[in-house]
Amino acid sequence: MDEDILYHLDLGTKTHNLPAMFGDIKFVCVGGSPNRMRAFAQFMHKQLGLAGDGEDLADICAGTDRYAMYRAGPVLSISHGMGIPSISIMLHELIKLLHHAKCRDVTIIRIGTSGGLGIKPGTVVITDTAVDSSFKPRFEQVVLDDVVVRSTELDKDLAKELLACSKEIPDFPTLIGHTMCTYDFYEGQGRLDGALCSFSSEKKLEYLKRAYEAGVRNIEMESTAFAALCGLCGLKAAVVCVTLLDRLEGDQIRAPHDVLWEYQQRPQRLIAAFILKHLGLCPPAGNKLFSTN
Amino acid sequence: MDEDILYHLDLGTKTHNLPAMFGDIKFVCVGGSPNRMRAFAQFMHKQLGLAGDGEDLADICAGTDRYAMYRAGPVLSISHGMGIPSISIMLHELIKLLHHAKCRDVTIIRIGTSGGLGIKPGTVVITDTAVDSSFKPRFEQVVLDDVVVRSTELDKDLAKELLACSKEIPDFPTLIGHTMCTYDFYEGQGRLDGALCSFSSEKKLEYLKRAYEAGVRNIEMESTAFAALCGLCGLKAAVVCVTLLDRLEGDQIRAPHDVLWEYQQRPQRLIAAFILKHLGLCPPAGNKLFSTN
């Protein structure tokens, strides 16, 4: 191709010097919410001790409102919206961007929110295997009108390294488990409180308990596609999500905003610790990495 | 339920007086991009001759960045992000909102963007039937770990009425056709320019031509779930999308920003004409409804 327009990122090979803009990126962090990914970039800016207070980071994708993208040193922080189709579009264009920019040895981590299964709300789950709604480690991709089954394996060493990092942040629990990925938040995750519901509370609990027994510790909506696409393209990938509630206890997310906000910072703090360690850096004095206050 | 928290809209039955806020809503318009749905609400504000210039409409979901919501008189304008999972979450919570607010006789219309098939870019397609990637009028919903097949029928009279409205706006073509809904923008829509591609240009064209022969005139990523969920909940629903390119001619969206922006206004102008007609109103003098200048 003479020109590659990354339409949903509002970037392109003729309009932007991608190697100059992104060639030194080593870590890419992705998550659903644009505000959260902006907050993460600001947090990383401070942790890396970069000049300025990081409050005025520019959205690199400002020309579109499909996704938001920020950078802090070698870290790129991008939103992906909700669900497999939305993250797939972003990943296709991000992976092309990394290719055009000639990036090397990039680690990509999804830092998200999820529903927990049999674990305390606020627990951070590092995914060992992403599974579908039948608890199988596979992602079914429609290619033209065929269905292709893809592996959802993630980098096991990276997961172990992240768990080791979590030991240094003692004020919240972190564990490794399977993550179930669904196409729907309500019926697809066995919620009784959607606009439609055709099953009983007993059927719901029976399903969620089966998921727990199969090793599932949290439920979200992007991990299988993320694992499959990153795996096929040779990116070292991890999924680290905080749980906002225990689905065995209920369906609605009832925690106050400030509690949810603190929960959402937990994966960010873990990933910041991991990145600093990899860069051989220490967190700046008085930083908030290892404390919530 | 004692309280219903519409988490992704940041609204709830205890924190908000939903009947007072929304009880008089008669038209709900939904589309992927928050900026576009804000622009549509501003446009409707002017068309309805409401007080003020409509430039400072408040985002009713300002407490979250998952979706954006604006109102102009009896018209609600909401973004849904990209893909079936994202629109499904919004629709579940929107339909509960309309129920709690005791709304009656609501018409819901998706105004979106799409890829065209064998038609001139800029053409507006009113969907008669939403079909899946096998050209079948069905939506497969995972419920717990079962798959339930749902009808994707839309309101035929509403589609005809919208086509009749389009005759009054002569500066762009509008037609009725099938709309294909996919889970992916790249491989799922037969694009050759994703990060991955495992098929040839010949296979792609063979697939797209089969879609054309099956009656498909445009391709997007939300219509089957939208049709299924609205149909089951008794909402009169339509899908009206402009086409940004002809997929038989290429994969990349190469039109300049100003051309794409004008294209995106076309479904908005058509729906504005429809809403004004239903309310027995005429567009204000000097308005831009029937002209692009």
Side-chain angles (χ1 to χ4, degrees):
Chain A
M1 267 189 308
D2 175 40
E3 178 181 13
D4 190 7
I5 298 174
L6 308 172
Y7 176 71
H8 301 87
L9 302 179
D10 198 40
L11 296 170
T13 52
K14 277 203 171 168
T15 48
H16 299 79
N17 184 343
L18 299 179
M21 289 173 75
F22 300 106
D24 56 343
I25 290 293
K26 294 295 173 196
F27 303 93
V28 179
C29 297
V30 306
S33 146
N35 289 347
R36 182 152 41 81
M37 297 321 289
R38 181 167 196 272
F40 177 68
Q42 290 170 335
F43 179 61
M44 281 310 309
H45 186 97
K46 285 176 195 154
Q47 294 300 322
L48 292 168
L50 299 175
D53 63 3
E55 292 301 320
D56 56 351
L57 293 183
D59 178 0
I60 299 167
C61 301
T64 175
D65 62 353
R66 301 298 191 171
Y67 303 107
M69 181 191 286
Y70 303 91
R71 72 169 290 174
V75 182
L76 203 59
S77 178
I78 316 172
S79 70
H80 56 59
M82 288 187 286
I84 285 174
S86 187
I87 196 174
S88 290
I89 295 173
M90 190 279 282
L91 286 176
H92 270 281
E93 299 185 10
L94 168 69
I95 291 166
K96 292 202 292 178
L97 182 158
L98 297 174
H99 171 78
H100 293 312
K102 304 186 196 308
C103 294
R104 289 282 173 274
D105 303 318
V106 172
T107 297
I108 181 166
I109 304 175
R110 163 163 149 71
I111 46 175
T113 57
S114 62
L117 216 48
I119 58 180
K120 200 180 155 202
T123 301
V124 171
V125 178
I126 300 166
T127 306
D128 57 358
T129 308
V131 301
D132 67 11
S133 55
S134 306
F135 323 136
K136 296 212 170 64
R138 64 181 180 191
F139 174 60
E140 296 187 346
Q141 169 72 46
V142 175
V143 178
L144 305 178
D145 49 356
D146 262 354
V147 177
V148 177
V149 177
R150 291 178 175 167
S151 159
T152 56
E153 214 169 323
L154 290 158
D155 192 293
K156 288 204 175 11
D157 292 336
L158 179 55
K160 277 183 210 157
E161 197 182 338
L162 287 165
L163 187 68
C165 271
S166 77
K167 307 296 182 201
E168 292 162 38
I169 313 179
D171 62 324
F172 59 82
T174 302
L175 54 85
I176 285 189
H178 295 357
T179 296
M180 180 162 78
C181 178
T182 69
Y183 281 95
D184 178 44
F185 185 81
Y186 287 96
E187 296 171 282
Q189 293 188 7
R191 278 190 162 81
L192 303 166
D193 65 334
L196 285 179
C197 182
S198 56
F199 48 86
S200 64
S201 177
E202 289 69 37
K203 281 273 179 203
K204 162 199 155 175
L205 281 174
E206 183 271 329
Y207 176 65
L208 292 181
K209 283 176 183 164
R210 266 198 294 133
Y212 184 87
E213 281 155 24
V216 173
R217 291 297 174 269
N218 66 337
I219 311 174
E220 44 79 271
M221 299 178 67
E222 293 87 13
S223 60
T224 52
F226 174 82
L229 201 46
C230 293
L232 281 169
C233 292
L235 284 173
K236 192 185 272 202
V239 176
V240 178
C241 293
V242 71
T243 58
L244 303 182
L245 77 168
D246 180 359
R247 288 299 316 290
L248 297 179
E249 303 294 329
D251 294 336
Q252 293 228 322
I253 300 166
R254 294 189 174 279
H257 273 103
D258 58 331
V259 172
L260 294 174
W261 182 249
E262 191 275 309
Y263 283 177
Q264 292 181 25
Q265 290 177 317
R266 294 178 176 189
Q268 299 183 20
R269 290 165 58 208
L270 173 54
I271 299 313
F274 166 82
I275 290 174
L276 289 182
K277 188 169 150 256
H278 263 256
L279 295 174
L281 296 174
C282 290
N287 88 88
K288 297 189 175 184
L289 184 53
F290 300 116
S291 126
T292 53
N293 299 312
Chain B
M1 265 190 308
D2 176 41
E3 178 182 14
D4 190 8
I5 298 174
L6 308 172
Y7 176 71
H8 300 87
L9 301 179
D10 198 40
L11 297 170
T13 53
K14 277 202 172 168
T15 47
H16 299 79
N17 184 343
L18 299 179
M21 289 173 75
F22 300 106
D24 56 343
I25 290 293
K26 294 295 173 194
F27 302 93
V28 179
C29 297
V30 306
S33 146
N35 288 347
R36 181 151 42 80
M37 297 321 289
R38 181 166 196 271
F40 177 67
Q42 291 171 333
F43 180 62
M44 281 311 309
H45 186 98
K46 285 177 194 153
Q47 294 300 323
L48 293 167
L50 299 174
D53 63 3
E55 291 301 320
D56 56 350
L57 292 183
D59 178 0
I60 300 167
C61 301
T64 174
D65 62 352
R66 300 298 191 170
Y67 303 108
M69 181 191 286
Y70 303 92
R71 72 170 290 174
V75 182
L76 203 59
S77 178
I78 317 172
S79 69
H80 57 57
M82 288 188 286
I84 284 174
S86 188
I87 196 174
S88 289
I89 295 174
M90 191 279 282
L91 286 176
H92 271 280
E93 299 185 11
L94 169 69
I95 291 166
K96 292 202 290 177
L97 183 159
L98 297 174
H99 170 78
H100 293 312
K102 303 186 197 310
C103 295
R104 289 282 172 273
D105 303 318
V106 172
T107 297
I108 182 165
I109 303 175
R110 163 163 149 71
I111 46 176
T113 56
S114 62
L117 217 48
I119 58 180
K120 201 180 153 200
T123 301
V124 171
V125 178
I126 301 166
T127 306
D128 56 359
T129 308
V131 301
D132 67 11
S133 54
S134 305
F135 323 136
K136 296 211 170 64
R138 66 181 179 189
F139 174 61
E140 295 187 347
Q141 168 71 45
V142 174
V143 178
L144 305 179
D145 49 355
D146 262 355
V147 177
V148 178
V149 177
R150 291 179 174 165
S151 159
T152 56
E153 215 168 323
L154 290 158
D155 192 294
K156 288 204 174 11
D157 292 336
L158 179 56
K160 278 183 208 156
E161 197 182 338
L162 287 165
L163 187 68
C165 270
S166 77
K167 306 297 181 199
E168 292 163 38
I169 313 179
D171 62 325
F172 58 81
T174 302
L175 54 84
I176 286 189
H178 295 356
T179 296
M180 180 162 80
C181 178
T182 69
Y183 280 94
D184 178 44
F185 185 80
Y186 287 97
E187 296 171 283
Q189 293 188 7
R191 277 190 164 82
L192 303 166
D193 64 334
L196 285 179
C197 181
S198 57
F199 48 85
S200 65
S201 177
E202 290 68 37
K203 280 273 180 205
K204 162 200 155 173
L205 281 174
E206 183 271 330
Y207 176 65
L208 293 181
K209 283 177 183 163
R210 268 198 292 133
Y212 184 88
E213 281 155 24
V216 173
R217 291 297 174 270
N218 66 337
I219 310 173
E220 44 78 273
M221 300 179 66
E222 294 87 13
S223 59
T224 52
F226 173 83
L229 201 46
C230 294
L232 281 169
C233 293
L235 283 173
K236 192 185 273 200
V239 177
V240 178
C241 293
V242 71
T243 58
L244 303 183
L245 78 168
D246 180 359
R247 288 299 316 290
L248 297 180
E249 303 294 329
D251 295 335
Q252 293 228 323
I253 300 168
R254 294 188 175 278
H257 273 104
D258 58 331
V259 171
L260 293 175
W261 182 249
E262 191 275 311
Y263 283 176
Q264 293 182 24
Q265 290 177 318
R266 295 178 175 189
Q268 300 184 19
R269 291 164 58 208
L270 173 53
I271 299 313
F274 167 81
I275 290 174
L276 289 182
K277 187 168 150 256
H278 263 256
L279 295 174
L281 297 174
C282 290
N287 89 88
K288 296 190 175 183
L289 184 53
F290 299 117
S291 127
T292 52
N293 299 311

